[in-house]
Amino acid sequence: MKEVAEWIDQLICGDALEILRKMPNAFVDAVLTDPPYFFDKLDNQWDIDKVEKRLPSQKVVKHLPPGMKFDPEQGRQFYRWYLRVSQELYRVLKPGGFFFSFASPRIYHRMAVAVEDAGFWVRDCFIWLYVQNQPKAMGLEHFIDRMPINPETKRSLKERFNGWKTPQVKSCFEPILVAQKPYEGTFLENMLKHNVGLFNMNVRIGLNKYPANVLIVEGIEAELDKYFLVPKPSIHERGDFNTHPSVKPISLCEHLIRLSTVEGAIVLDPFIGSGTTAIAAKRTGRHFVGIDINPDYIEIARRRLRQLRQNLFAQ
Ligand SMILES: C[S@@+](CC[C@H](N)C(=O)[O-])C[C@H]1O[C@@H](n2cnc3c(N)ncnc32)[C@H](O)[C@@H]1O
């Protein structure tokens, strides 16, 4: 087994479960991750060709995009897999260490139970709020058109069901599961021994006297922005070469890292994609360990990190 020093600030290409199993016990201060949600091809194999094909380009959804097909089995598959991942994360985290996991409202419950069943305490659910997103609901016109009925009956059915669509409202938030590995002794004893286990309430946003469990990154409305807007992500932050389909805002990740760890801490992301957690860790004076199964994404993450280093030197 490799020593702790050999994992620090490394991006590793491979299957998260396999790589995690090679890591030492209790050396990570926090886990911050956005796993595949098991919708269609976005599973733990993450087939890049199929992922790209499924990304909807049109504004009006005429056909159900493959990933939106409702299948309750996806949640159950996700649970079984995420339980095993969470068991490994539990082992590599220090006592008291926090585990932040982005989710989708549709599988959040499975995620929370998997993480809890692995031994974590579920502490909170943060919400990342936004206004812009593509509505995914689908009307009935195309189904009616395909029915073997006369045009007049089709017309009257369309009129009758005008406005009625599949039950998918515009999704405007992402839940972030906040879990904690049980601490040793008291909070203070754990903090003194492991430097982790509490939240730093000096990490404030705007007028809020305490960090809140609602976060926004784009200005939404003056009153909300005053309390919940983390510093806006810059326009260039993802990099024009970054083709990853689900890049997280750096400022949001920075906020969670600052809230839950001290400088010098190690933040692990087992599904690091284009490297956002690594960038956020370095920008806040922490270390990272990143894993992704896709070599293209690892290369994008490396490039973003190189760019960050160049920008820091240029300052
Ligand atoms: C939602 S994306 C993460 C995006 C990332 N937060 C960012 O800002 O770029 C999930 C990532 O998990 C990766 N992935 C899927 N299955 C995996 C596995 N078994 N092991 C490691 N990584 C995996 C995918 O390649 C994908 O990049």
Side-chain angles (χ1 to χ4, degrees):
M1 189 172 277
K2 286 201 263 178
E3 299 291 314
V4 169
E6 294 175 80
W7 294 95
I8 291 184
D9 292 338
Q10 297 301 313
L11 289 170
I12 304 134
C13 187
D15 174 68
L17 254 182
E18 279 174 29
I19 308 286
L20 286 169
R21 286 190 183 120
K22 296 180 184 155
M23 288 186 183
N25 293 342
F27 79 107
V28 163
D29 294 271
V31 175
L32 169 56
T33 198
D34 178 24
Y37 300 154
F38 276 58
F39 299 157
D40 198 45
K41 299 299 164 206
L42 300 179
D43 58 14
N44 57 336
Q45 301 303 321
W46 195 282
D47 183 327
I48 189 165
D49 293 334
K50 293 185 179 140
V51 169
E52 274 166 14
K53 278 195 203 109
R54 76 173 266 288
L55 292 177
S57 54
Q58 73 271 49
K59 281 238 153 52
V60 181
V61 182
K62 290 189 183 154
H63 308 280
L64 204 56
M68 293 319 297
K69 190 159 179 274
F70 183 71
D71 179 0
E73 193 47 38
Q74 290 164 340
R76 286 187 270 274
Q77 281 169 4
F78 175 81
Y79 168 85
R80 290 192 283 273
W81 173 72
Y82 215 49
L83 172 63
R84 288 190 291 146
V85 171
S86 302
Q87 284 163 339
E88 285 305 316
L89 294 175
Y90 186 94
R91 187 183 61 73
V92 302
L93 259 171
K94 292 178 182 173
F98 289 99
F99 176 11
F100 297 96
S101 186
F102 285 85
S104 140
R106 223 162 96 181
I107 49 102
Y108 178 82
H109 60 302
R110 292 279 172 194
M111 175 182 284
V113 175
V115 168
E116 197 173 56
D117 286 354
F120 285 94
W121 291 331
V122 173
R123 282 268 176 203
D124 210 326
C125 170
F126 288 10
I127 281 175
W128 169 25
L129 195 65
Y130 41 84
V131 279
Q132 300 302 335
N133 201 1
Q134 196 177 27
K136 306 276 190 332
M138 198 179 151
L140 302 177
E141 285 81 359
H142 294 274
F143 297 105
I144 295 172
D145 278 338
R146 272 188 249 130
M147 289 171 77
I149 50 176
N150 66 52
E152 183 46 33
T153 318
K154 281 186 187 175
R155 198 196 51 74
S156 90
L157 274 181
K158 284 183 189 174
E159 210 171 277
R160 180 173 160 198
F161 291 117
N162 179 27
W164 290 89
K165 296 191 175 192
T166 52
Q168 288 145 312
V169 292
K170 188 167 95 163
S171 187
C172 288
F173 81 94
E174 260 183 54
I176 306 169
L177 175 75
V178 183
Q180 182 175 32
K181 178 165 170 173
Y183 44 81
E184 286 176 358
T186 64
F187 272 122
L188 181 59
E189 284 162 352
N190 193 85
M191 200 68 195
L192 287 170
K193 188 167 172 197
H194 299 291
N195 240 340
V196 76
L198 299 171
F199 279 167
N200 181 356
M201 301 299 173
N202 297 315
V203 179
R204 301 204 183 140
I205 300 177
L207 297 182
N208 247 338
K209 292 208 171 108
Y210 291 99
N213 56 8
V214 174
L215 299 160
I216 52 183
V217 287
E218 309 288 345
I220 289 186
E221 191 267 328
E223 203 55 28
L224 283 176
D225 294 353
K226 270 198 279 187
Y227 292 94
F228 306 124
L229 182 68
V230 298
K232 276 192 189 183
S234 80
I235 295 171
H236 302 297
E237 72 168 46
R238 56 177 290 149
D240 51 13
F241 51 85
N242 189 349
T243 51
H244 199 289
S246 57
V247 180
K248 288 286 171 280
I250 296 175
S251 49
L252 191 58
C253 296
E254 281 181 18
H255 175 75
L256 299 176
I257 290 172
R258 281 208 183 91
L259 184 68
S260 61
T261 63
V262 298
E263 278 194 34
I266 300 171
V267 184
L268 165 68
D269 187 341
F271 310 103
I272 200 155
S274 64
T276 310
T277 303
I279 308 271
K282 292 320 280 179
R283 281 170 49 118
T284 51
R286 275 72 167 172
H287 298 286
F288 67 87
V289 184
I291 307 171
D292 202 282
I293 200 164
N294 189 312
D296 295 343
Y297 296 153
I298 289 284
E299 196 37 52
I300 292 170
R302 293 217 164 99
R303 200 162 157 190
R304 287 178 87 195
L305 277 164
R306 277 199 299 276
Q307 209 166 55
L308 175 75
R309 274 194 295 273
Q310 282 160 6
N311 292 344
L312 290 178
F313 276 127
Q315 275 172 13

